[in-house]
Amino acid sequence: MRSVLIEAPGKIVVETVPDPTLPGPDGAVVAVQTTAICGSDLHFYEGDYPLAQPVPLGHEAVGTVVEVGPAVRSVRTGDRVLVSSVAGCGACAGCATADPVTCVSGPRIFGSGALGGAQSEFLAVPAADFQLLRIPDGIDTETALLLTDNLATGWAGAQRADIPAGGTVAVLGLGAVGLCAVRSAIAAGAGTVFAVDPVPGRRDRAARCGATPVEPSAAAAAVFEATGGRAAASVIDAVGNDTTMTAALNLVRAGGTVSVIGVHDLNPFPFPALVSLVRSVTLRMTTAPVQRTWPELIPMINAGRLDTAGIFTDTRPLGDAPAAYAAVAARSADCLKIALTI
């Protein structure tokens, strides 16, 4: 099969590798039809994470089940499914909460070296009853891909931000996850959502969703003016670097919550512990409980309460992955998220 691999920072290749085999009696093999490039994939592309060997990339996949183990009950061959980006064993007390992050054996993420990469023609999925969801009626391919990670992450970030009814929220970073967080915050009842990003076109996209766009250098003044000097009740950081995490802690009010859903690099963050303690700031770091979000998000999408349109800005064939990665890494207004078709 063909698979997208990263050989070195900035070097993406599409190689022929062996087809995956069934990963045990509770597993399945999915023929991937559409996958996507996530902002967190760029940490490999930009050299934030070390590479001891080529890594098959990707953790967002929609496809058709082509093989199932004898213990699988929820899906069968021929079913069209989406795959949770985060995997758990599916059988422990942690997975019983529908949150793979709390798996007793530890969560694993597709496309990070622990499991196969979703940017491939086939994907082996362990614990298929836990990881796979038959795509419901009314859910299109792009929405299904967002449910594998980005929308689940944005929604979890908003849920864990303690947004009060009518409260003021700031979302830092307007990539795919950030825009999902903006829409989730609005759906969760926020009064004003400040959408903060250095790229004007990305701010314009957030404004069309109902957010108040602001460039990073003007964010503090705008938020403080809008709140009478009190600052934001909730801040969602969808970037996760030192600059945005520091800005988030400066934008949140005393007693407020900072919800970090952006992926940090491997360097320590200089956390201002004393100031945060004195101000009684709550800090939450979240890897999305993807499976737990599905029963919440799918009815909202089908009811028209949460819009998923306009997050994907381009679709390319799998063979164009090297150019697609370069386009996503440019972080332009015109290229927000790219789907790869197989």
Side-chain angles (χ1 to χ4, degrees):
M1 70 172 183
R2 293 178 302 153
S3 182
V4 176
L5 290 89
I6 182 159
E7 295 187 331
K11 186 178 181 181
I12 298 290
V13 295
V14 181
E15 297 282 1
T16 299
V17 300
D19 290 354
T21 58
L22 194 68
D26 66 345
V29 176
V30 174
V32 178
Q33 296 169 339
T34 312
T35 179
I37 299 173
C38 179
S40 58
D41 292 327
L42 297 182
H43 281 284
F44 290 103
Y45 185 78
E46 295 174 339
D48 293 332
Y49 298 155
L51 290 168
Q53 59 186 12
V55 173
L57 291 174
H59 51 263
E60 303 171 347
V62 168
T64 300
V65 177
V66 294
E67 186 178 5
V68 295
V72 176
R73 297 290 178 263
S74 65
V75 297
R76 60 186 180 182
T77 301
D79 283 344
R80 193 162 177 265
V81 296
L82 60 89
V83 187
S84 169
S85 58
V86 187
C89 74
C92 69
C95 290
T97 69
D99 183 358
V101 176
T102 64
C103 179
V104 174
S105 300
R108 295 181 292 170
I109 300 175
F110 289 97
S112 63
L115 295 171
Q119 293 165 13
S120 304
E121 291 181 309
F122 296 95
L123 184 64
V125 181
D129 287 331
F130 186 59
Q131 259 72 254
L132 298 181
L133 178 70
R134 187 184 295 114
I135 298 177
D137 293 340
I139 301 297
D140 61 29
T141 297
E142 290 186 354
T143 300
L145 279 170
L146 292 175
L147 285 166
T148 68
D149 179 12
N150 288 179
L151 184 57
T153 299
W155 176 252
Q159 291 292 296
R160 288 171 58 82
D162 300 327
I163 300 171
T168 299
V169 179
V171 177
L172 309 184
L174 301 175
V177 170
L179 284 180
C180 286
V182 166
R183 298 180 187 193
S184 295
I186 293 171
T192 301
V193 177
F194 287 96
V196 185
D197 195 281
V199 181
R202 293 191 172 198
R203 297 198 299 269
D204 292 342
R205 290 180 182 275
R208 291 196 290 270
C209 301
T212 300
V214 60
E215 61 179 347
S217 63
V223 170
F224 277 79
E225 180 180 359
T227 58
R230 197 177 175 200
S234 308
V235 181
I236 303 171
D237 180 6
V239 180
N241 62 28
D242 286 6
T243 299
T244 57
M245 289 175 65
T246 299
L249 290 165
N250 289 333
L251 286 172
V252 73
R253 69 179 53 167
T257 299
V258 171
S259 177
V260 180
I261 52 176
V263 180
H264 198 266
D265 59 28
L266 296 177
N267 296 310
F269 170 63
F271 179 66
L274 177 59
V275 173
S276 298
L277 179 141
V278 170
R279 300 181 67 238
S280 294
V281 170
T282 297
L283 174 65
R284 291 200 172 106
M285 315 283 285
T286 302
T287 293
V290 178
Q291 290 87 328
R292 186 188 292 171
T293 69
W294 293 337
E296 301 169 334
L297 290 172
I298 290 169
M300 292 180 67
I301 294 166
N302 283 334
R305 293 173 52 206
L306 189 58
D307 182 20
T308 60
I311 302 294
F312 281 90
T313 52
D314 198 359
T315 299
R316 304 189 186 191
L318 188 71
D320 284 353
Y325 265 87
V328 173
R331 294 178 174 85
S332 70
D334 296 330
C335 183
L336 190 72
K337 189 170 181 67
I338 295 179
L340 300 173
T341 57
I342 298 172

